[in-house]
Amino acid sequence: MSQTEDRARFLVAYDQNLRTDAETPSALKVTQHGPLRLVTFMKGRGFVTYQDLGDVDSSSVRRLVAEATAYYVAEPGINRVEWKTRGHDHAPGLHQALLESGFVQDEPESIMIGEAMALSAPVPLPDGVSLRQVADEADVRAMSAMQDEVFGEPVSDEMADALLRRLSLGDGMQLWVAEAEGQMVSAGRLEPVPGTSFAGIWGGATREEWRGRGIYRALTARRAQAALELGKTLIHSDSTEFSRPILERSGLLKVSTTTPYRWVRD
């Protein structure tokens, strides 16, 4: 099968399997509004997604955006909202409608999908580097703090609290870290998607001074092995331009793009 055929097959599987409850396993509340899924997460975070918008025109899109924004404005506990768009969707006028409603466009990412088997070949680690799965609260908070630092964000408890809540649910999520010289130098999580062949790899972060040594590829391979152990045969991820080439070398294909738009309460 050609890469073009694989991309088409993967994109159909993505739309059918990964744009439903699979996107929001840690949601506190999901409200269906027409085609939209209006999601509430911990710590005042809202999230808008959908499987598709149907045969809409620009006026319908503008109305949906206005109604979704009004929904969150009326929820005093919500302080910020992400609207997740996809490059292959039929959504005329969505970009402009979001800007008019106070959303700000973020950097686009690549939607990557591939066979777990292609990623699972072991990658040699540099001397002194080891991989392990973590679940204890202290380890989870240390992992989350390291990721915040790598992504240039203030260290906060928000992601750690969300990860600990997910672990308490026992839904199969796994957290993996690479360690060297007594510190975590790379980390990422694996999220198996119930009822599908998919597992997602997310949160990949490596300290700058440890990049270029194959650590992230090794961490990806280990998560792919864990996915196969769970019976998952497909891997998906939203990838930055830093990690996309690494995933492509491991066999994943770019099937589309996703661009978040962010609204913050004044």
Side-chain angles (χ1 to χ4, degrees):
M1 189 174 292
S2 70
Q3 284 195 352
T4 299
E5 291 171 321
D6 280 337
R7 282 191 180 91
R9 174 171 62 92
F10 290 155
L11 189 56
V12 169
Y14 173 86
D15 284 337
Q16 290 179 344
N17 293 287
L18 299 179
R19 301 183 67 172
T20 54
D21 288 336
E23 281 190 273
T24 55
S26 57
L28 300 179
K29 180 173 71 171
V30 179
T31 300
Q32 194 75 35
H33 180 77
L36 304 181
R37 296 168 61 83
L38 307 179
V39 184
T40 299
F41 288 116
M42 294 174 63
K43 308 286 187 179
R45 185 165 69 93
F47 180 74
V48 182
T49 186
Y50 35 87
Q51 192 160 32
D52 64 72
L53 294 177
D55 188 22
V56 291
D57 57 19
S58 59
S59 62
S60 298
V61 168
R62 192 178 304 111
R63 175 180 53 80
L64 284 170
V65 172
E67 290 170 350
T69 305
Y71 170 86
Y72 285 113
V73 168
E75 291 276 333
I78 296 293
N79 53 56
R80 64 205 188 283
V81 179
E82 176 187 338
W83 188 300
K84 187 178 178 73
T85 72
R86 278 82 167 189
H88 63 286
D89 280 348
H90 172 74
L94 179 58
H95 169 77
Q96 189 60 36
L98 287 167
L99 297 183
E100 290 172 356
S101 288
F103 285 79
V104 176
Q105 180 179 342
D106 209 339
E107 290 296 316
E109 296 184 339
S110 299
I111 299 173
M112 308 294 295
I113 299 179
E115 304 285 351
M117 188 64 70
L119 272 77
S120 65
V123 176
L125 284 164
D127 289 343
V129 179
S130 60
L131 304 180
R132 70 181 175 101
Q133 186 178 351
V134 299
D136 292 344
E137 180 173 353
D139 284 334
V140 173
R141 293 197 181 280
M143 169 186 162
S144 181
M146 185 274 288
Q147 290 172 314
D148 284 342
E149 292 169 7
V150 170
F151 293 138
E153 300 173 357
V155 174
S156 75
D157 291 330
E158 183 175 339
M159 179 55 75
D161 289 344
L163 292 174
L164 288 166
R165 180 176 181 272
R166 284 287 304 281
L167 287 171
S168 74
L169 298 175
D171 63 2
M173 183 189 73
Q174 297 181 11
L175 306 177
W176 287 86
V177 299
E179 294 174 310
E181 300 177 0
Q183 67 170 342
M184 294 180 182
V185 299
S186 186
R189 67 186 187 273
L190 177 75
E191 297 193 10
V193 182
T196 77
S197 299
F198 280 98
I201 52 175
W202 302 103
T206 305
R207 293 188 185 276
E208 186 172 5
E209 63 271 24
W210 289 91
R211 293 174 188 167
R213 307 190 197 186
I215 298 173
Y216 178 73
R217 286 192 297 118
L219 196 66
T220 298
R222 185 62 190 90
R223 285 180 288 170
Q225 294 164 14
L228 289 168
E229 292 163 7
L230 295 171
K232 304 300 182 181
T233 58
L234 293 175
I235 296 292
H236 75 103
S237 184
D238 294 347
S239 170
T240 65
E241 281 306 290
F242 174 76
S243 56
R244 177 187 55 78
I246 301 172
L247 296 179
E248 285 180 332
R249 287 197 296 272
S250 298
L252 267 69
L253 297 175
K254 177 180 178 178
V255 301
S256 186
T257 59
T258 178
T259 303
Y261 287 72
R262 303 188 189 279
W263 175 89
V264 179
R265 188 182 296 276
D266 292 333

